[in-house]
Amino acid sequence: MIRKVRQHLSQNESLIFERSSPGKIGYQLPDLDVPAVDAAAALGAASVRAEIEGFPEVSEVEVIRHFTRLSTWNYAIDLGMYPLGSCTMKYNPRINEAVARIEGLAWAHPYQPESLSQGAMEVIGRLEAALCEITGLDAVTLQPAAGAHGELTGILLVRAALEARGNPRKKILVPDSAHGTNPATAGIAGYSVQNVASNDQGMIDIEHLAGLVDDDVAALMVTNPNTLGVFESNIAQAAEILHSKGAMIYMDGANMNALVGVARPGDFGVDVMHINLHKTFSTPHGGGGPGGGPVAVAKHLEPYLPVPRLKRMKDALAWDFDRPGSIGKVKAFYGNFGVMVRALAYILAHGGPGLRNATVDAVLNANYIRHKLRDFFDLPYDRPNMHEVVFSDDRQAAKGVRTGDIAKRLIDYGFHPYTVSFPLIVHGALMIEPTETESKDELDLFIDAMISIAKEVDEQPETLKNAPHMTRTRRVDEVTAARKPILRWK
Amino acid sequence: MLAACGLASADELFSQIPAEARLQRPLALADGISEYEIVDYFKSLAAQNANGYASFLGAGVYNHYRPVVVDTVVSRGEFLTSYTPYQSEISQGTLMTIFEFQTMVCQLTGMDVANASMYDGSTAIPEAAMMAERITGRHKALVARSAHPEYREVLATYARNQGMQIEEFGFDRATGQIDFADLESRLDKETACVIIQSPNFFGIVEDAKKAAAMAHAAGALLVFTFTEAASLGILEPPRDADIVAGELQSFAISPSYGGPFAGIMAAKEKYVRQLPGRLVGESKDSEGNRAFCLTLATREQHIRREKATSNICTNQALIALMATVYMELYGKRGLRELAEQNLAKAHYLGSKVKPLFSGPYFNEFAAVPAKPVEEINAQLLEKKIIGGLPLAKFYPELGNAVLLCATEMTKRADMDALAEVMA
């Protein structure tokens, strides 16, 4: 039975270009307090455009209605549980939005004098220090803009350190359970990728790994907990194997929310890792960004961190650009500062004990789901999980229903789908991550929905094949979209 | 819930982590604080930054007015707290805003296709250069020394490890524009692309048509970048470029000490399959209604892994939405008037403080003060004015020059005060 939702009216809305009529405006500018300038005279007639062809002309209220109507076509955390595995869709506290908009922070120019930027620099310094403590590593750069950007930064650091020893090496090892960004990153950093097969537990096979690590291997990129939501219990051994051959261990910190306050990568041999501020530290995903991808490193990689580095002088903070070993800049200025403000606010609100509690609740919620759903869905790797749990659609596939169908049906029950068909090592994966911010009531609603769907698979599989039924937009023809791409209005 | 999991205590949840890997003490972070204390703390930090100053800083980050409506829209939880729109049936709102964004980026830049956004302008540049490499099979990028210095630094970081060769070409010391003779002498059969910025770092408008013709004659692509999107309200778009990679910070994105901003990447139609990042396309749903979805994903990392066009995943969706709302509010007339006001303000300032270069400028220009720039800027600070950016740090050859920016938010009285100190 569907308990969480029922249908209501939703407003139609056209593309803004179709609403446009000549002469309408939605802006105001003050009268000029200086003489107007003839553009053709100042810039040269050939440099001046006639108009921006096709640009919309609408009023303010039309803009407000346009976006408000569109917003109601979206699902969001603010509407309910968003159990996308690996994406960590937790509640985004609004205080974080408020402080990021305080004028002295939001309007700080990156080139304003350091003496007039001490508050912004303190945000950066304090966040770096907190992330060092949380990861157990020695230094942090906040410059990378997102997780994949952090990965690239991290691998460039590895490369720089190995180059300084005389040989950057050739290969990066990536487990077959990894996020696609890992191999893509290795490629952009100039490395070839060697895949590492998982063992029958879905974990790194230590003996297999030992056989692979040679003088050509620069690093292993490993997600921990891995994408099955399981802690790689041999991680310290893996680190030893790599270190003994002069290679390093890069940890993809996408799942760091399962470890905060419980275990620290620096304590189990990790040399370098990234953190997703928009996952673990709750800065909003915003429909796909902005993110923040800080990189934490052990002491031996610190000399290579991007410039500039924040330096604490006797009575002020300063930017240090004189870093001869640095890999250079990975982004203009200092990183996604506004995202840093939000993440620091989250850390201050929770404090040390609160951060650990969040980890405990996230892991408890995911284990609760595993226990409640294990009788209804296949568990290819049946073992205690951390912050997420991965089922397979094996049982349902026998009836012709796949993970993608179950996901679409879940929409009718008022939930966003889980992550579909990832990790790749699980056939027909259902990857579920509840996060700590869901109450038992919401979890039970979700569990009931999943059980109800499992029964539908037995009794009326056709219902699932063309789900969702209750949304204003039904299944979208993605094949035609890719075959004959229409990427803009004309 | 523990009982349902067959556990006696919360600690048992972590039994799979070997004891030696577990943290045996509390984190050395203070206890949590209340909402009021958090506000108070960040206000105290904000008070240590510049407050109540007039500013003549631009140099890639511009002070433009942010209409109230922008935050009204982006604060809606349905935009703020949703994920990347992979599930199209319940993400049509985000998908349609991105489709409008892609369209307006094309209209602004004169390109055929645009992606859903990049991290920022600086990181869009190496992505564009790598795209040009893939298209041409060549491995050298020529970049204008008059392009933003930090963008060039980021390009160098990316290039260093992929066998991409980066060479700079100079600017004319009289006009501040591209030194075309220098560019021509460096173009060869290995050149994948020529990268120019307009208005360039000195605020000077470049001849993109000529640069494109030169690049194309050598079989290379023209990559066009911009940091001041407001200029596109009045300037002829770079229709002859092959790839446009720039920054939309000017469109309702607060300076925020350098980020988050919204980069763009647009190109000619024939290069669409080499674009990095997410793309939204129009289609229909099973009932024949217009519907949007992410498309051409076979370029991307989650499908192609190490053979992807880029490793980019998360981009700047919410920030791109700010720019989208801004572009729709201002519209065709507004962006024109905005550009005209910027032009008028900067040229008023230019009538009081003599520009160093003779080339046409939009809303910023270099000038050489009579006294050392540090002295001038210190004097200005006493008047609650942040002066321009001293250029020597990035351009030692320009000595005492300073980069001054004026926008629609710059007041005449402050320009008069600046001119008096600089004289």
Side-chain angles (χ1 to χ4, degrees):
Chain A
M1 198 183 88
I2 295 174
R3 288 201 287 150
K4 186 164 176 270
V5 285
R6 63 184 160 119
Q7 283 179 304
H8 75 133
L9 297 178
S10 79
Q11 304 279 327
N12 293 330
E13 179 64 11
S14 332
L15 285 164
I16 200 77
F17 314 103
E18 297 159 348
R19 290 202 147 272
S20 176
S21 46
K24 280 196 182 178
I25 56 165
Y27 73 99
Q28 296 168 343
L29 281 166
D31 292 338
L32 264 179
D33 62 358
V34 297
V37 167
D38 179 65
L43 300 166
S47 292
V48 177
R49 77 194 298 170
E51 61 166 22
I52 310 174
E53 305 89 1
F55 231 57
E57 294 177 86
V58 288
S59 69
E60 179 177 319
V61 64
E62 285 171 323
V63 169
I64 283 281
R65 284 190 183 147
H66 179 68
F67 288 103
T68 305
R69 288 170 179 172
L70 294 191
S71 76
T72 65
W73 303 352
N74 272 1
Y75 188 79
I77 300 166
D78 284 2
L79 291 168
M81 183 170 162
Y82 212 121
L84 268 179
S86 223
C87 302
T88 313
M89 298 298 284
K90 59 171 76 175
Y91 170 64
N92 307 126
R94 290 311 198 277
I95 176 65
N96 304 351
E97 297 305 307
V99 293
R101 285 175 168 81
I102 295 173
E103 184 153 338
L105 298 174
W107 285 86
H109 191 288
Y111 291 145
Q112 69 193 28
E114 286 178 7
S115 61
L116 292 175
S117 306
Q118 291 294 304
M121 294 162 88
E122 180 62 31
V123 167
I124 293 172
R126 190 148 180 199
L127 182 58
E128 282 184 1
L131 295 178
C132 282
E133 168 63 11
I134 287 165
T135 58
L137 287 158
D138 301 308
V140 165
T141 174
L142 300 177
Q143 208 175 93
H149 201 214
E151 289 176 30
L152 176 63
T153 306
I155 295 301
L156 292 182
L157 294 170
V158 168
R159 190 177 182 104
L162 291 174
E163 246 166 22
R165 285 193 220 150
N167 178 7
R169 303 190 173 197
K170 298 194 176 96
K171 283 190 295 197
I172 299 281
L173 303 180
V174 179
D176 50 11
S177 58
H179 296 112
T181 49
N182 292 176
T185 294
I188 288 177
Y191 284 110
S192 66
V193 174
Q194 181 161 6
N195 280 299
V196 184
S198 305
N199 65 15
D200 57 3
Q201 301 284 301
M203 314 262 279
I204 298 171
D205 187 325
I206 285 293
E207 279 168 30
H208 178 53
L209 177 71
L212 287 177
V213 181
D214 58 23
D215 292 346
D216 280 341
V217 171
L220 166 73
M221 292 182 92
V222 58
T223 307
N224 195 21
N226 64 24
T227 54
L228 293 168
V230 176
F231 190 87
E232 293 278 0
S233 48
N234 293 324
I235 186 90
Q237 262 176 284
E240 266 174 41
I241 291 168
L242 288 149
H243 292 158
S244 72
K245 293 279 171 74
M248 292 181 220
I249 185 159
Y250 180 95
M251 191 178 115
D252 181 324
N255 297 337
M256 189 63 201
N257 58 313
L259 299 183
V260 175
V262 171
R264 307 192 309 166
D267 297 340
F268 49 76
V270 167
D271 298 282
V272 48
M273 68 176 294
H274 81 264
I275 297 151
N276 302 75
L277 295 181
H278 48 296
K279 294 181 180 178
T280 304
F281 297 99
S282 107
T283 69
H285 280 76
V295 170
V297 297
K299 196 88 201 155
H300 66 100
L301 290 175
E302 192 185 2
Y304 310 105
L305 288 171
V307 278
R309 296 288 299 150
L310 194 66
K311 208 162 56 172
R312 266 184 209 276
M313 314 296 278
K314 211 161 80 201
D315 46 11
L317 290 159
W319 286 115
D320 180 7
F321 289 87
D322 185 17
R323 308 271 302 180
S326 168
I327 58 168
K329 290 188 79 69
V330 295
K331 186 180 177 301
F333 316 116
Y334 320 107
N336 280 346
F337 175 76
V339 177
M340 299 172 205
V341 173
R342 291 167 173 87
L344 181 59
Y346 177 86
I347 289 171
L348 295 176
H350 281 71
L355 289 173
R356 187 177 193 281
N357 284 344
T359 305
V360 171
D361 287 349
V363 174
L364 177 60
N365 283 354
N367 276 280
Y368 182 72
I369 288 173
R370 178 169 56 90
H371 279 273
K372 291 287 186 179
L373 291 182
R374 60 185 306 158
D375 292 340
F376 303 91
F377 296 91
D378 247 32
L379 264 178
Y381 301 97
D382 187 7
R383 45 182 306 165
N385 54 276
M386 299 208 48
H387 65 300
E388 64 196 1
V389 55
V390 180
F391 294 95
S392 96
D393 66 5
D394 271 8
R395 227 176 285 183
Q396 289 74 28
K399 306 259 179 186
V401 174
R402 303 307 315 268
T403 175
D405 302 319
I406 300 167
K408 294 298 187 199
R409 183 61 177 151
L410 197 50
I411 293 172
D412 284 333
Y413 281 77
F415 289 95
H416 192 279
Y418 46 79
T419 293
V420 178
S421 303
F422 185 83
L424 305 175
I425 59 169
V426 171
H427 190 249
L430 293 71
M431 187 195 214
I432 301 171
E433 177 178 11
T435 82
E436 74 277 11
T437 51
E438 297 312 323
S439 66
K440 182 171 177 297
D441 286 346
E442 185 80 3
L443 295 174
D444 285 337
L445 263 182
F446 172 75
I447 289 160
D448 285 353
M450 290 296 288
I451 293 172
S452 178
I453 292 170
K455 287 186 179 136
E456 288 177 351
V457 173
D458 289 330
E459 293 158 9
Q460 39 176 349
E462 282 314 305
T463 310
L464 278 82
K465 295 299 287 179
N466 46 16
H469 302 278
M470 289 161 62
T471 46
R472 62 170 285 122
T473 299
R474 303 287 297 274
R475 279 200 198 190
V476 178
D477 182 357
E478 296 183 353
V479 175
T480 306
R483 200 167 286 158
K484 295 181 187 158
I486 303 172
L487 303 172
R488 57 173 291 190
W489 175 83
K490 260 183 195 162
Chain B
M1 283 172 73
L2 280 169
C5 299
L7 298 171
S9 78
D11 281 345
E12 287 180 28
L13 288 166
F14 301 101
S15 55
Q16 57 182 303
I17 304 180
E20 62 276 15
R22 256 181 275 170
L23 182 62
Q24 306 292 352
R25 59 165 176 82
L27 285 173
L29 296 172
D31 284 358
I33 57 176
S34 69
E35 182 169 310
Y36 164 69
E37 291 165 295
I38 292 170
V39 172
D40 199 48
Y41 172 68
F42 282 102
K43 277 189 177 165
S44 75
L45 290 184
Q48 297 170 41
N49 288 343
N51 284 282
Y53 284 76
S55 170
F56 289 89
L57 288 172
V61 182
Y62 302 93
N63 291 314
H64 291 292
Y65 180 70
R66 294 185 76 232
V68 171
V69 167
V70 173
D71 272 349
T72 306
V73 170
V74 301
S75 298
R76 284 195 67 94
E78 299 93 330
F79 288 128
L80 183 75
T81 76
S82 54
Y83 192 69
T84 305
Y86 286 116
Q87 295 290 342
S88 15
E89 297 88 346
I90 45 172
S91 310
Q92 286 296 308
T94 295
L95 287 163
M96 193 154 129
T97 66
I98 296 174
F99 187 79
E100 292 180 354
F101 174 84
Q102 290 174 180
T103 302
M104 288 187 288
V105 168
C106 289
Q107 292 167 338
L108 264 185
T109 59
M111 291 290 105
D112 304 319
V113 289
N115 76 4
S117 75
M118 306 299 288
Y119 303 136
D120 71 345
S122 75
T123 51
I125 297 301
E127 293 279 4
M130 289 189 277
M131 186 172 157
E133 270 193 308
R134 291 192 296 272
I135 292 167
T136 60
R138 301 173 172 192
H139 301 286
K140 189 167 94 173
L142 294 178
V143 59
R145 185 161 168 76
S146 52
H148 198 296
E150 298 213 28
Y151 287 23
R152 286 183 282 123
E153 286 179 53
V154 174
L155 176 64
T157 304
Y158 275 69
R160 200 168 295 136
N161 307 290
Q162 336 188 21
M164 194 198 291
Q165 192 193 338
I166 306 287
E167 236 178 76
E168 282 183 7
F169 57 94
F171 53 89
D172 184 298
R173 292 292 289 273
T175 63
Q177 290 169 308
I178 292 169
D179 178 343
F180 280 106
D182 189 25
L183 169 58
E184 186 146 46
S185 73
R186 292 170 193 275
L187 275 162
D188 60 22
K189 285 187 178 135
E190 256 315 293
T191 310
C193 64
V194 172
I195 305 172
I196 67 164
Q197 178 183 323
S198 181
N200 67 22
F201 190 67
F202 312 123
I204 306 283
V205 179
E206 299 281 14
D207 187 345
K209 218 180 179 71
K210 187 168 173 185
M214 226 174 237
H216 293 158
L221 305 187
L222 182 71
V223 173
F224 179 97
T225 187
F226 59 89
T227 59
E228 177 46 292
S231 67
L232 288 166
I234 201 158
L235 288 176
E236 179 65 11
R239 299 179 209 275
D240 303 301
D242 300 281
I243 304 171
V244 178
E247 172 61 64
L248 293 190
Q249 181 271 328
S250 289
F251 291 168
I253 300 166
S254 54
S256 193
Y257 206 50
F261 296 163
I264 64 108
M265 176 82 93
K268 289 276 164 62
E269 178 99 50
K270 59 185 166 185
Y271 302 132
V272 63
R273 282 171 204 275
Q274 291 301 333
L275 271 178
R278 292 169 183 150
L279 286 168
V280 169
E282 184 182 331
S283 185
K284 286 190 173 8
D285 73 0
S286 57
E287 293 182 339
N289 294 310
R290 174 194 267 168
F292 300 90
C293 60
L294 289 170
T295 192
L296 301 182
T298 48
R299 301 162 297 111
E300 291 185 75
Q301 47 77 26
H302 61 285
I303 310 285
R304 289 277 279 172
R305 299 178 79 86
E306 63 268 29
K307 295 193 177 63
T309 52
S310 166
N311 72 337
I312 193 168
C313 179
T314 288
N315 54 32
Q316 302 288 118
L318 194 74
I319 312 294
L321 178 59
M322 290 181 188
T324 305
V325 177
Y326 185 87
M327 288 189 277
E328 295 184 8
L329 273 176
Y330 270 69
K332 190 184 278 187
R333 275 178 62 178
L335 285 194
R336 180 64 168 221
E337 191 182 340
L338 177 80
E340 285 170 351
Q341 286 215 359
N342 276 260
L343 189 70
K345 296 275 187 167
H347 283 253
Y348 176 77
L349 185 60
S351 72
K352 302 261 165 181
V353 180
K354 187 174 176 287
L356 168 62
F357 298 118
S358 62
Y361 60 96
F362 175 61
N363 70 351
E364 56 190 329
F365 60 86
V368 183
K371 283 176 282 181
V373 61
E374 292 72 23
E375 216 174 286
I376 298 280
N377 278 354
Q379 250 178 289
L380 286 167
L381 285 181
E382 285 168 22
K383 296 180 184 287
K384 288 282 247 182
I385 293 173
I386 297 175
L389 177 75
L391 283 168
K393 182 188 167 196
F394 296 123
Y395 298 92
E397 67 269 36
L398 295 181
N400 196 40
V402 61
L403 186 62
L404 297 168
C405 176
T407 71
E408 79 282 6
M409 285 170 75
T410 310
K411 296 189 173 77
R412 180 176 185 148
D414 292 323
M415 292 193 273
D416 292 341
L418 176 93
E420 202 172 294
V421 174
M422 284 197 52

